[in-house]
Structures are given as C-alpha cells and as structure tokens.
Amino acid sequence: MSEVMNTTQDPFYFILTGIPGFEAYHIWISIPCCCLYIISIMGNTTILTVIRTEQSLVQPMYLFLSMLALTDLGLTLSTLPTVMQLLWFNNQKISFEGCFAQFFFLHAFSFMESSVLLAMSFDRYVAICRPLHYATILTNSVVGRMGLAILCRCVLAVLPSLFLLKRLPFCRSHLLSHSYCLHQDMIRLVCADIRVNNWYAFAVVLLIIGIDPLLIVLSYILILKSILHTASWAERLQAFNNCLSHMLAVLVLYVPMVGVSITHRFAKHAPPLVHVIMANIYLLAPPVMNPIIYSVKTKQIRQGIFHLISQRSRHLR
C-alpha cells in the first residue's frame, strides 16, 4: 500500500489495478488469462495465415474476416503487456506516455471491431439480397477502400479524445481501476472542467457504438425479408447458415458491451470486482471467440486449417 501511495504522487506514472480482493492469487489467475491470450493470438494468426495461403479465399467475405482477425489481434496485444506484467510481476506502474498509447490503441481497435462487423453485415446483405451483382459491387478494390475508410474513421474518432484528455491536469490520485488504460477510467482522475471531453465522448459513442448495431440490425431485417421470399426451405436454411457466424460474432461483441454499459449505469455501487470482470469479458470475449466461431461454422476456413496442418506435418517429416 505504501508503494501505491508513493507512486500516485509521481506525475509520470499511472497505477494499474489487478483483480480487487484477489491480489494474493494473481499468479494463479494469470494461468487462465495467459491461456485466453494464447488462444486469441494463435486463433487469429491461424485465420490470417489460412486466408493468405489459400487462393480460393481471396474473396470479399474472407477479406473482411481477415480485417476482423487483425482487429482482434490488435485488441489482444493492446492489453496483454500491462495485464500480464501486473499478474506475473505485480508491476502496477505505467508511464503517462504508455498509458495514452494504450488508451489510443485500445479504443481504436474496439471501434474498429464494430466497424468491421458493420462492413461484414453489408457483405452478407449484398450476397443474399443482390447475389447477381455481388461480384460487381464488392470487388477487391472496393473492399480495400472500405478497410481504409474503417481505419481512418476509428483513428480520427479516437485522436481528438486523446488530445483533449492529454491537455488536462491529473492532480488527483493516479490509481486506475483496471489493469489497462480506458478513457472513462482516466478522465475521472482529472481535476478540471471535462464537459468538452464528455460531450465529445458521447458523440463518438453515439456515432459508432450507437449507429453501427442499428445498421447491422437493419441489414438483417432486409436479409430476413429476402430469405422469407425464397422458394424453398433448403435455400432459406443455406442463407441463414451463411449469416450464422457473423450473427454470433455480433452477439459476442455487443452483449458484453451492453452488460458493461448497464453495470456502469445502474450498478455504480457494485463491488469493484464486478466492474473488472465485466470489462475483461468485453475486451477478451471477441478476440478469443471469433476465431473459434469462424473455424467451427465456416467450412472453407475449417478446410483451410486442416490443409495448413497437413502441409506443416509433411514438412516436419
């Protein structure tokens, strides 16, 4: 405790928090956390490798999937250093520059996850509702421009928040409530007028986290309407199966996100452990679950993984 009290007065550091009430068990908690990080890194790297090596997967659907895997990989690597250094070495310090860098990457990749899922819902809409025009609407160059637009959208959304926050004085305790740097966690330590920051953060959340799921729902309403007008149950089942992986990925992202929002809004006085667990689920669930979902539910990815494994095994002989 004395170490925390001393370091909170140091203007060059923030102090991270592990699992409240379980500090003595951090080394044991690190085991499942490390396993989840390994699953995420290996799963998303495998999907990227399969899409890169299989020529038959150079299609819009799989190019969007590679964007999702890259985003998940970025989200994983954004939190891994601070989480594992805290659990393994009880190192709670992070420099101001390091904290702001993590804040930028963490929020940028989080917004990117939502944006890529929106782009994937558009891909599914065109594939099912406009199948004859799919190849002309979603060319590889169009997919590339959409990827660039997603990157610019998320970077430009996060940068003003970073600069608005960095100009303010942190004269209160520098003790954060998570093992990584979040905007909503850092801004409560500011001792200045934060109305501009709050309004900008609200606008960004509304324009990205608010509009993206609404547009995804709209695309699925149009897809459902198209499916119901198809001739046979077999065609309906095939169309539904083509969307199932994406629907599961959407749920994996937005269900924990809604849970975190509800917890912050209606359970402010809940034990800190509740907020920490909800935040960790929100940040870890998509990178861990998405490669599992697409490996299990997408036949082409599954076959590509088997082909990759067989090639590696032949090289080892």
Side-chain angles (χ1 to χ4, degrees):
M1 184 67 182
S2 60
E3 181 186 354
V4 171
M5 291 302 295
N6 290 335
T7 52
T8 55
Q9 303 307 316
D10 191 335
F12 300 102
Y13 291 96
F14 282 110
I15 305 300
L16 303 169
T17 300
I19 312 296
F22 292 86
E23 288 82 3
Y25 303 100
H26 274 179
I27 195 66
W28 296 106
I29 295 171
S30 71
I31 296 172
C33 283
C34 188
C35 290
L36 291 174
Y37 278 120
I38 290 171
I39 291 169
S40 174
I41 292 169
M42 290 187 65
N44 288 295
T45 303
T46 300
I47 285 181
L48 286 169
T49 305
V50 167
I51 293 173
R52 186 175 63 85
T53 55
E54 294 287 335
Q55 288 299 316
S56 61
L57 299 183
V58 184
Q59 301 174 30
M61 174 183 172
Y62 301 106
L63 294 176
F64 284 126
L65 179 55
S66 66
M67 291 181 200
L68 185 65
L70 275 172
T71 303
D72 286 334
L73 207 53
L75 198 56
T76 298
L77 296 176
S78 296
T79 60
L80 186 148
T82 53
V83 171
M84 297 315 297
Q85 79 172 14
L86 195 152
L87 294 177
W88 278 344
F89 308 111
N90 197 31
N91 185 356
Q92 296 177 272
K93 289 183 179 181
I94 182 170
S95 67
F96 264 43
E97 292 77 13
C99 199
F100 277 103
Q102 187 179 52
F103 152 76
F104 170 76
F105 286 112
L106 194 53
H107 287 284
F109 282 120
S110 182
F111 291 156
M112 215 173 290
E113 184 100 12
S114 178
S115 301
V116 172
L117 287 175
L118 175 59
M120 293 174 83
S121 72
F122 176 70
D123 169 76
R124 291 299 82 206
Y125 164 76
V126 176
I128 292 171
C129 300
R130 299 287 186 272
L132 298 178
H133 302 94
Y134 182 77
T136 54
I137 293 175
L138 283 173
T139 62
N140 288 346
S141 62
V142 169
V143 173
R145 287 197 292 271
M146 289 175 71
L148 184 61
I150 288 170
L151 180 64
C152 293
R153 178 198 195 204
C154 298
V155 169
L156 293 176
V158 177
L159 274 179
S161 291
L162 188 147
F163 291 126
L164 285 171
L165 184 61
K166 202 166 184 180
R167 68 187 173 87
L168 298 174
F170 291 87
C171 53
R172 296 174 184 167
S173 166
H174 294 171
L175 184 63
L176 299 172
S177 57
H178 296 285
S179 50
Y180 35 78
C181 301
L182 295 172
H183 177 265
Q184 57 266 38
D185 201 14
M186 295 168 68
I187 201 163
R188 67 182 178 82
L189 305 179
V190 171
C191 52
D193 187 356
I194 57 172
R195 282 178 294 181
V196 174
N197 301 65
N198 287 336
W199 278 110
Y200 182 79
F202 175 75
V204 168
V205 169
L206 186 65
L207 290 173
I208 295 181
I209 305 303
I211 289 180
D212 285 4
L214 289 177
L215 292 175
I216 291 171
V217 170
L218 176 61
S219 70
Y220 273 106
I221 290 172
L222 296 173
I223 288 170
L224 183 62
K225 186 178 177 182
S226 177
I227 289 174
L228 293 176
H229 284 86
T230 55
S232 67
W233 278 102
E235 290 175 333
R236 293 176 186 177
L237 188 61
Q238 183 182 4
F240 175 77
N241 192 54
N242 287 337
C243 296
L244 185 57
S245 298
H246 179 258
M247 287 191 289
L248 291 173
V250 169
L251 291 174
V252 164
L253 175 66
Y254 288 110
V255 169
M257 186 185 291
V258 171
V260 168
S261 301
I262 291 173
T263 303
H264 275 282
R265 178 68 180 85
F266 299 106
K268 291 180 180 178
H269 302 294
L273 180 62
V274 174
H275 295 279
V276 169
I277 290 173
M278 291 299 297
N280 285 332
I281 290 173
Y282 164 59
L283 289 174
L284 275 175
V288 171
M289 292 303 300
N290 284 341
I292 296 173
I293 289 169
Y294 279 95
S295 299
V296 171
K297 296 302 299 179
T298 308
K299 181 182 176 182
Q300 291 84 347
I301 295 294
R302 193 166 60 249
Q303 289 175 339
I305 292 172
F306 289 145
H307 185 230
L308 184 65
I309 293 170
S310 65
Q311 279 186 326
R312 294 293 167 88
S313 62
R314 279 200 298 270
H315 286 311
L316 292 173
R317 287 174 187 173

